[in-house]
């Protein structure tokens, strides 16, 4: 993607005004999007993202420049711009070291690349999802089915001599089904994907299953009364339910917040921050998972990182620059949406590990409360730990029995508080896919958990 | 670029593309982040991207690129052909011929564009000082940001249209945490526009600090039905989230409950909603839309009566009306959709304090979070983590946190009782006054 001699020249130019570390991130990415709605394939769009970002550190401060012109002139212009942005310019003493490429085991492999798959085949996935969604009920008034894939080639090299490349291939489908009574609309969504090629649909994902699942949620919610308000116990099912950990705790363990003292978990390593039944892991090494990579976007190999072990805080997720701020080693967590973003610490595949409780007992011993079968998205303020997320499909529990579906519920609380109130962790851990937005843009992340229960949480409803 | 475009148009013609259009975005941007006086991040970039679309056998195909070599020409043309051949969308599609005058709007500011980066940084540093000086309970002011940018949009097509406009903009915002007896609160405030003078360090810094300090000691309130005023700053977030219901594209897909309700009363009489791309106060001012159609203001809801959907050429043809000039692209690579420009609810004649007095007892909501999750544009339902304060006897009382406010946007428009006179565009293209919305459900303790 770039001649190493030119890369050396650009790094040295970037360092010429006193920088002490320089890095090049080069990206070439091909995207495809297909959208089927109104029972017909309406949009087929393809694109190519191409550019490079150059970063220079001066102490704990960083300069970042990026460009689409990755030929010799463009790269040197970009490097020069970075050098010129360094404030107290002095003679550059640091020089780029000769390149080396560390040996790396190939963990993530791809069998059928999107670029070698006919668009007709991709459209078939959408047709299957759409047909299945529509066949669930005649109350389904619309299904919007989207197929996306991308092949991303990255090259990362830096003035310490690192020179690595990585290929990430992503494939995903989404189905949003709408059920309508004419007066009211309710929707349900499913969005399965993986870091895989088209083999996703041969190995893991049956589009008809997910199309039907989205439609069933929409129909169930159309006939559900409003969720009541108040504080109650809540059981959250596996899969996307793991978004509770992602929001309530995950973001607050990213160096992005911790390094600036803007997290409620600052200075708490080694302390009990969650109930003893909680062990949480962030793992970027799982083969072909949605949030996996061989190396992060700074070229550091990804890791399996235990964040919380039996309730005790063990690790933060750390990128290179914030690692310097915190005086801690990077954990392979430096990620970015594209060359147009400087990297920062981000989650990868983050989940609460399986525990010892039976799902039946979790429900039967909860008395009156809420069973969240399917979660929507959420957000968090890491400084205070205040989080919120939506329940896409919820059921009222009465006397330990699932009674009736309810709509419109959201869950709120403070991370530190809710982690301590987890009183059950089931055995069947499952992950689900999301796009996580933060300082360095939108990146693919998995959330996951077995069924868990929180003994008391504020449920926002309307009844 | 002109050489590239010529090659592209010729190659498209040779491949049997009947009509085609390139949409080019060039961007020159600067961003700096300051923490404790230090410039922790300094970004400067120049990029361009090209979206290409073309008609083949009456179908529209799309492709895009950020690389501008000969390969790119081939990839763009092949992408459009493949896309058009696969498309099953048999609704008529159009490119605009551009035989119209566009309004003159001055959106550039050379002084801002040529400003020394370190003068911009000094402004953020001054704001950070102002945050810290405001109150001794301010604990941290971190990741304070200034962004400036110039972008140019050019649309050129095989019908002979070739038009462009350039815009400069700047935005500065700060964030702070305040601490008191173990309670932590965060504050945020920002301001943006097309002139550096708007970025008043003292004013923005004070507002950041004030928004943090005011939340100290906030408590949950019991769950129940409450009288509610939604402050302007929270109302614009709600309006943005649900603005899609006024799009003809959303309605034609059956995803808006306003479908088939033109001319009906859908909101209280005090509700008037306007889309005005010519208004310089909003950050979405533009002389023409993403299809090159000249901009014009439209009243979408007038005294509660639903007057028009927002349209592009395709949705307008389907409904048998004229386009409102609301074609939009989420980026150069996106296909053409419909979205509002500067979109606002018209203000009323009462002051905010008069609204409080009339409500007497209730809650003012100043902040809502998690709209991408807790608000459903398809159903209109929302249940959102919120902050605000209690009002008793028309006076501001204790701060409130850890509550959700739940309701339905369609109902909210119907139940609106009064508008304050404080309409503004706080940080973008959505504007609203503070609104007395009647009763809503609140979940707390």
């Amino acid at each position: 993607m770039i001649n190493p001699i030119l890369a050396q020249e650009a790094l040295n130019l970037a360092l010429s005004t006193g920088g002490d570390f320089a890095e090049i991130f080069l990206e070439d990415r091909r995207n495809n999007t297909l959208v089927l709605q109104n029972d017909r394939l309406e949009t087929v769009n393809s694109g190519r993202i191409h550019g490079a970002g150059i970063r220079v550190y001066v102490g704990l401060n960083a300069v970042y420049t990026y460009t689409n012109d990755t030929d010799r002139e463009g790269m040197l212009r970009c490097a020069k711009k970075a050098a010129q942005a360094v404030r107290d310019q002095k003679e550059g003493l640091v020089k780029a070291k000769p390149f080396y490429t560390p040996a790396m085991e190939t963990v993530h492999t791809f069998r059928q690349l999107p670029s070698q798959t006919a668009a007709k085949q991709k459209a078939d996935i959408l047709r299957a999802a759409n047909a299945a969604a529509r066949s669930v009920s005649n109350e389904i008034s619309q299904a919007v089915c989207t197929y996306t894939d991308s092949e991303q080639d990255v090259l990362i090299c830096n003035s310490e001599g690192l020179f690595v490349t990585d290929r990430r291939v992503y494939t995903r489908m989404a189905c949003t089904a709408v059920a309508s009574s004419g007066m009211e609309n309710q929707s349900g969504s499913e969005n399965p994907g993986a870091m895989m090629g088209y083999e996703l649909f041969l190995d893991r994902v049956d589009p008809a299953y997910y199309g039907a699942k989205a439609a069933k949620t929409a129909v169930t919610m159309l006939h559900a009364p409003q969720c009541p308000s108040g504080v109650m116990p809540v059981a959250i099912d596996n899969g996307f339910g793991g978004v509770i950990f992602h929001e309530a705790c995950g973001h607050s363990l990213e160096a992005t917040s911790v390094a600036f003292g803007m997290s409620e978990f600052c200075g708490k390593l080694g302390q009990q921050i969650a109930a003893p039944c909680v062990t949480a892991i962030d793992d970027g090494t799982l083969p072909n998972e949605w949030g996996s990579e061989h190396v992060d976007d700074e070229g550091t190999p990804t890791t399996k990182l235990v964040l919380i072990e039996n309730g005790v805080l063990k690790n933060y997720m750390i990128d290179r620059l914030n690692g310097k701020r915190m005086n801690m080693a990077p954990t392979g967590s430096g990620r970015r949406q594209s060359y147009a973003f400087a990297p920062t610490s981000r989650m990868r595949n983050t989940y609460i590990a399986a525990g010892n409780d039976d799902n039946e007992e979790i429900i039967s011993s909860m008395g009156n409360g809420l069973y969240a079968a399917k979660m929507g998205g959420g957000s968090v303020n890491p400084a205070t730990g205040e989080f919120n997320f939506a329940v896409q499909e919820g059921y009222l529990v009465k006397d330990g029995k699932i009674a009736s579906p309810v709509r419109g519920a959201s869950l709120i609380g403070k991370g530190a508080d809710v982690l301590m109130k987890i009183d059950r962790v089931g055995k069947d851990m499952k992950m689900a896919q999301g796009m996580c937005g933060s300082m360095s843009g939108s990146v693919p992340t998995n959330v996951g958990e077995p069924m868990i229960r929180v003994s008391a949480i504020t449920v926002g409803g309307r009844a | 670029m002109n050489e590239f475009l010529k090659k592209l148009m010729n190659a498209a013609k040779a491949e049997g593309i009947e009509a085609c259009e390139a949409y080019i975005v060039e961007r020159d941007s600067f961003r700096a982040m300051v923490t404790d006086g230090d410039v922790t991040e300094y970004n400067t970039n120049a990029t361009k991207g090209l979206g290409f679309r073309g008609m083949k056998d009456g179908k529209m195909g799309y492709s895009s690129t950020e690389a501008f070599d000969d390969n790119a020409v081939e990839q763009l043309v092949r992408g459009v052909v493949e896309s058009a051949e696969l498309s099953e969308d048999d609704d008529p599609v159009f490119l605009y011929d551009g035989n119209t005058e566009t309004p003159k709007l001055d959106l550039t500011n050379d002084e801002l564009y040529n400003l020394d980066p370190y003068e911009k940084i000094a402004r953020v540093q001054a704001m950070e000082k102002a945050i810290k000086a405001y109150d001794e309970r301010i604990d941290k002011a971190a990741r304070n940001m200034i962004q400036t940018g110039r972008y140019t949009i050019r649309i050129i097509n095989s019908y002979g249209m070739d038009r462009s406009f350039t815009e400069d903009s700047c935005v500065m915002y700060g964030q702070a945490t305040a601490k008191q007896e173990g309670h932590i609160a965060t504050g945020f405030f920002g301001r943006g526009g097309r002139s550096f003078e708007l970025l008043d360090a003292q004013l923005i810094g004070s507002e950041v600090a004030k928004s943090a300090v005011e939340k100290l000691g906030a408590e949950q309130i019991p769950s129940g039905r409450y009288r509610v005023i939604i402050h302007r700053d929270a109302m614009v977030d709600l309006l943005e989230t649900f603005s899609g219901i006024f799009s003809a594209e959303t309605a034609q897909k059956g995803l808006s409950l306003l479908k088939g309700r033109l001319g009906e009363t859908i909101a209280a009489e005090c509700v008037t909603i306007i889309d005005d791309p010519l208004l310089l106060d909003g950050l979405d001012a533009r002389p023409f839309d993403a299809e090159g159609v000249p901009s014009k203001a439209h009243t979408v809801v007038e005294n509660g009566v639903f007057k028009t959907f927002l349209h592009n050429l395709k949705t307008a043809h389907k409904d048998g009306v004229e386009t409102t000039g609301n074609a939009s692209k989420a980026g150069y690579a996106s296909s053409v959709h419909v979205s509002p420009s500067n979109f606002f609810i018209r203000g009323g004649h009462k002051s905010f304090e008069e609204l409080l007095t009339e409500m007497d007892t209730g809650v003012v909501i100043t902040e809502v979070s998690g709209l991408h999750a807790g608000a459903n544009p398809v159903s209109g339902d929302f249940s959102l983590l919120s902050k605000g304060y209690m009002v008793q006897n028309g006076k501001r009382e204790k701060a409130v946190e850890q509550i959700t406010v739940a309701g339905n946007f369609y109902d909210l428009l119907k139940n609106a009782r009064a508008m304050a006179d404080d309409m503004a565009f706080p940080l973008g293209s959505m504007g609203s006054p503070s609104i007395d919305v009647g009763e809503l459900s609140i979940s707390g303790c």
Side-chain angles (χ1 to χ4, degrees):
Chain A
M1 291 171 82
I2 189 174
N3 174 342
I5 297 168
L6 170 60
Q8 284 276 342
E9 199 178 337
L11 287 171
N12 278 324
L13 185 56
L15 290 168
S16 63
T17 54
D20 40 45
F21 172 85
E23 170 196 87
I24 297 173
F25 175 87
L26 201 118
E27 174 183 21
D28 193 66
R29 183 171 187 144
R30 278 84 50 212
N31 293 325
N32 289 291
T33 305
L34 287 78
V35 183
L36 185 145
Q37 58 195 11
N38 299 316
D39 274 326
R40 63 191 187 189
L41 190 64
E42 288 203 351
T43 308
V44 181
N45 199 345
S46 62
R48 181 167 164 208
I49 288 174
H50 180 87
I54 297 182
R55 197 152 69 133
V56 179
Y57 295 176
V58 187
L60 296 180
N61 300 333
V63 167
Y64 193 67
T65 62
Y66 59 81
T67 180
N68 303 129
D69 296 329
T70 59
D71 58 7
R72 183 182 165 77
E73 255 172 68
M75 290 302 293
L76 294 180
R77 201 180 319 124
C78 188
K80 196 171 170 194
K81 214 166 159 186
Q84 282 168 343
V86 170
R87 183 160 212 177
D88 301 314
Q89 304 219 339
K90 48 183 192 269
E91 198 192 333
L93 297 175
V94 179
K95 296 270 180 279
K97 291 188 181 137
F99 287 135
Y100 71 97
T101 300
M104 206 163 42
E105 194 194 341
T106 303
V107 179
H108 318 296
T109 53
F110 310 106
R111 294 208 310 277
Q112 190 178 343
L113 291 175
S115 54
Q116 292 159 0
T117 306
K120 280 199 172 69
Q121 269 181 285
K122 301 174 185 176
D124 286 343
I125 299 301
L126 301 181
R127 288 186 224 285
N130 180 61
R134 300 258 181 191
S135 68
V136 162
S137 158
N138 54 15
E139 285 173 328
I140 296 296
S141 60
Q142 179 63 287
V144 180
C145 302
T146 310
Y147 165 98
T148 51
D149 66 43
S150 94
E151 287 178 41
Q152 182 199 35
D153 286 303
V154 300
L155 182 152
I156 302 141
C157 60
N158 66 34
S159 57
E160 291 177 357
L162 183 71
F163 190 99
V164 293
T165 58
D166 195 13
R167 161 167 279 208
R168 295 94 178 241
V169 177
Y170 300 100
T171 303
R172 194 182 195 194
M173 64 154 279
C175 176
T176 297
V178 179
S180 182
S181 64
M183 301 295 289
E184 276 185 326
N185 287 339
Q186 288 289 322
S187 63
S189 298
E190 291 293 333
N191 314 272
M195 192 172 69
M196 296 174 95
Y198 193 76
E199 67 270 20
L200 172 74
F201 301 108
L202 308 172
D203 298 358
R204 289 196 193 181
V205 169
D206 171 10
Y209 169 80
Y210 287 99
K213 202 168 171 212
K216 281 176 198 155
T217 300
V219 172
T220 305
M221 288 302 104
L222 187 65
H223 299 286
Q226 295 288 343
C227 181
S229 302
V231 178
M232 59 187 88
V234 177
I236 303 168
D237 215 338
N238 66 6
F240 205 73
V243 71
I244 186 170
F245 184 81
H246 179 101
E247 300 299 350
C249 182
H251 278 294
S252 308
L253 297 180
E254 292 168 341
T256 316
S257 299
V258 179
F260 290 94
M262 301 288 268
S263 161
E264 61 171 343
F265 297 118
C266 282
K268 298 221 165 138
L269 279 179
Q271 292 181 29
Q272 191 86 30
I273 63 160
C277 59
V278 177
T279 290
I281 289 162
D282 178 66
D283 190 348
T285 69
L286 295 168
N288 293 92
E289 280 301 335
W290 183 240
S292 296
E293 291 161 347
H294 283 108
V295 292
D296 72 1
D297 293 327
E298 301 180 305
T300 309
T302 54
T303 53
K304 177 177 180 175
L305 196 64
V306 177
L307 301 173
I308 295 174
E309 190 170 25
N310 302 325
V312 176
L313 180 59
K314 292 289 181 183
N315 281 296
Y316 297 119
M317 292 165 273
I318 305 172
D319 58 289
R320 192 182 264 271
L321 181 60
N322 284 313
K324 283 178 73 176
R325 282 197 181 100
M326 296 159 71
N327 205 12
M328 292 173 79
T331 56
S333 307
R335 304 186 68 190
R336 52 181 130 197
Q337 178 181 326
S338 74
Y339 70 90
F341 294 83
T344 190
S345 53
R346 304 293 297 272
M347 282 176 262
R348 301 166 302 200
N349 305 300
T350 315
Y351 59 91
I352 295 179
N356 299 316
D357 297 309
D358 286 315
N359 287 0
E360 294 72 27
E361 189 274 340
I362 294 176
I363 303 285
S364 67
S365 65
M366 73 189 280
N368 296 331
L370 181 73
Y371 162 57
K374 210 155 114 186
M375 300 298 297
S379 66
V380 66
N381 175 347
T384 59
E386 293 167 293
F387 65 79
N388 66 86
F389 38 90
V391 180
Q392 208 186 119
E393 186 180 329
Y395 296 84
L396 275 189
V397 176
K398 279 186 185 150
D399 297 327
K401 289 194 181 69
I402 293 173
S404 61
V406 282
R407 70 161 77 153
S410 60
L411 307 180
I412 64 164
K414 295 194 178 184
D417 194 38
V418 80
L419 285 178
M420 286 295 193
K421 287 184 178 156
I422 295 176
D423 66 355
R424 291 287 191 285
V425 177
K427 295 170 181 163
D428 184 18
M429 199 284 285
K430 222 177 108 189
M431 290 190 286
Q433 293 71 51
M435 291 303 294
C436 169
S438 178
M439 299 267 293
S440 60
S442 178
V443 299
T445 54
N446 261 348
V447 300
E449 64 170 27
M451 186 190 284
I452 64 159
R453 191 174 78 192
V454 182
S455 59
I457 191 165
T458 300
V459 175
R462 272 167 72 190
Chain B
M1 184 51 92
N2 283 332
E3 194 56 33
F4 181 85
L5 287 169
K6 213 171 176 181
K7 269 191 207 163
L8 178 59
M9 298 279 181
N10 286 337
K13 207 171 168 188
E15 284 299 318
I17 294 175
E18 296 132 24
C20 62
E21 183 172 277
Y23 180 97
I24 304 138
V25 181
E26 288 192 55
R27 202 178 278 276
D28 197 340
S29 63
F30 168 83
R31 189 177 77 171
M33 190 166 87
V34 170
T35 302
D36 293 329
D38 252 6
V39 187
T40 50
E41 232 187 87
Y42 180 119
N43 290 11
T44 168
N45 322 288
T47 53
K48 54 181 181 288
L50 183 149
F52 189 53
R53 57 181 186 141
M55 287 195 290
K56 196 161 195 269
D57 301 328
K59 306 263 177 68
M60 190 76 84
Y62 288 92
S63 62
S64 68
T65 189
E66 291 182 351
F68 295 90
D69 45 23
D70 285 349
N71 285 343
V73 170
E74 198 214 315
Q75 172 240 323
L76 287 170
V77 173
R78 191 167 22 90
V80 161
V81 169
E82 190 180 68
S83 158
E85 281 174 356
L86 276 166
S87 172
E88 297 164 346
D89 186 351
D90 40 25
D91 292 340
V93 286
F94 308 90
L95 295 181
Y96 191 59
D97 60 17
N99 288 326
T100 44
E101 286 286 309
T102 58
K104 296 262 169 298
L105 282 182
D106 187 13
L107 304 174
T108 55
N109 180 337
D110 287 333
E111 203 183 326
L112 174 64
Y113 181 64
N114 295 316
L115 200 65
D116 180 61
Y118 281 97
E119 212 171 308
K120 301 177 197 171
I121 287 168
R123 189 65 60 93
V124 202
Q125 289 166 328
M127 172 185 71
E128 200 181 65
K129 277 208 180 104
I131 297 173
K132 289 178 176 168
Y134 183 85
D135 192 296
E136 56 187 16
R137 290 169 295 176
I138 294 293
D139 182 47
K140 277 198 177 69
R143 298 204 304 233
N144 299 295
M145 196 82 85
I146 189 161
Q147 289 182 50
T148 62
R150 165 169 284 190
Y151 74 91
T152 300
I153 289 177
R154 178 179 176 194
I155 309 178
I156 174 166
N157 69 26
S158 57
Y159 293 159
M161 178 169 70
D162 185 0
R163 52 183 48 160
S164 68
F165 72 91
T166 298
E167 177 173 21
D168 285 301
S169 65
C170 59
V171 57
M172 180 164 85
Y173 60 85
Q175 16 191 4
T177 59
K179 230 181 202 166
Q180 180 179 286
E181 290 154 11
H183 187 250
I184 298 172
T186 56
F188 174 89
F189 188 81
R191 186 170 262 208
R194 287 179 206 89
S195 126
F196 195 53
E197 285 73 54
L198 281 173
L199 309 185
D200 183 326
Q202 201 58 41
L203 182 136
I204 300 174
S206 309
E207 288 294 330
V208 172
K210 199 170 120 196
S211 99
V213 170
E214 279 179 352
K215 290 174 204 148
L216 284 169
E219 289 170 15
Q220 264 189 329
I221 51 174
S223 303
R225 299 275 300 172
Y226 285 84
R227 287 278 284 113
V228 172
I229 289 172
I230 302 182
H231 187 271
R232 169 184 78 200
D233 296 350
M235 196 57 221
V236 290
D237 287 340
L238 276 181
L239 181 63
E240 178 155 32
T241 304
F242 291 104
S243 62
I245 66 173
F246 300 103
S247 146
E249 190 184 19
T250 312
Q252 288 173 2
K253 274 191 226 166
L255 301 179
S256 168
L257 291 169
L258 294 181
K259 188 178 181 175
R261 304 197 55 196
L262 274 177
E264 290 180 29
T265 298
I266 60 150
E269 215 197 326
C270 60
V271 178
T272 292
I273 305 177
I274 294 163
D275 183 73
D276 188 355
L278 304 177
L279 197 68
L280 293 173
D281 293 356
L283 277 178
D284 219 351
R286 48 173 167 74
F288 53 86
D289 73 359
E291 292 176 317
V293 174
S295 294
K296 220 170 124 185
H298 289 91
T299 301
V300 175
V301 176
E302 189 170 20
N303 301 325
V305 178
F306 183 35
K307 290 293 194 187
T308 181
F309 280 110
L310 300 177
H311 285 283
N312 62 20
L313 289 170
K314 183 180 161 187
T315 65
H317 181 267
K318 200 167 181 178
D319 279 8
V321 296
E322 293 245 320
T323 174
T324 55
N326 285 92
S328 71
K329 276 174 166 247
Y332 69 88
S334 150
S335 47
V336 172
H337 296 283
V338 173
S339 41
S341 61
N342 298 313
F343 196 63
F344 64 97
I345 302 175
R346 199 170 62 192
H349 302 290
K350 291 173 183 165
S351 70
F352 182 67
E353 287 67 32
E354 281 175 87
L355 248 53
L356 294 190
T357 309
E358 281 177 13
M359 181 172 76
D360 189 67
T361 301
V363 183
V364 173
I365 299 300
T366 55
E367 212 177 292
V368 287
S369 322
L371 288 119
H372 66 288
N376 185 337
V378 176
S379 63
D381 289 336
F382 59 87
S383 174
L384 298 164
L385 173 64
S386 308
K387 288 182 196 292
Y389 52 86
M390 289 297 299
V391 173
Q392 249 141 22
N393 304 321
K395 295 269 174 300
R396 179 183 183 131
E397 298 282 334
K398 68 171 182 185
V400 176
E401 65 168 24
Q402 286 292 297
I403 57 165
T404 65
V405 172
N408 180 284
F409 190 73
Y410 294 99
D411 295 340
L412 188 138
L413 291 178
K414 279 184 226 136
N415 298 337
R417 296 193 184 184
M419 307 285 165
D421 60 3
D422 58 355
M423 200 294 282
F425 294 85
L427 201 62
S429 60
M430 291 283 150
S432 175
S434 300
I435 305 181
D436 181 340
V437 296
E439 271 194 4
L440 288 176
S441 294
I442 288 182
S443 287
C445 50

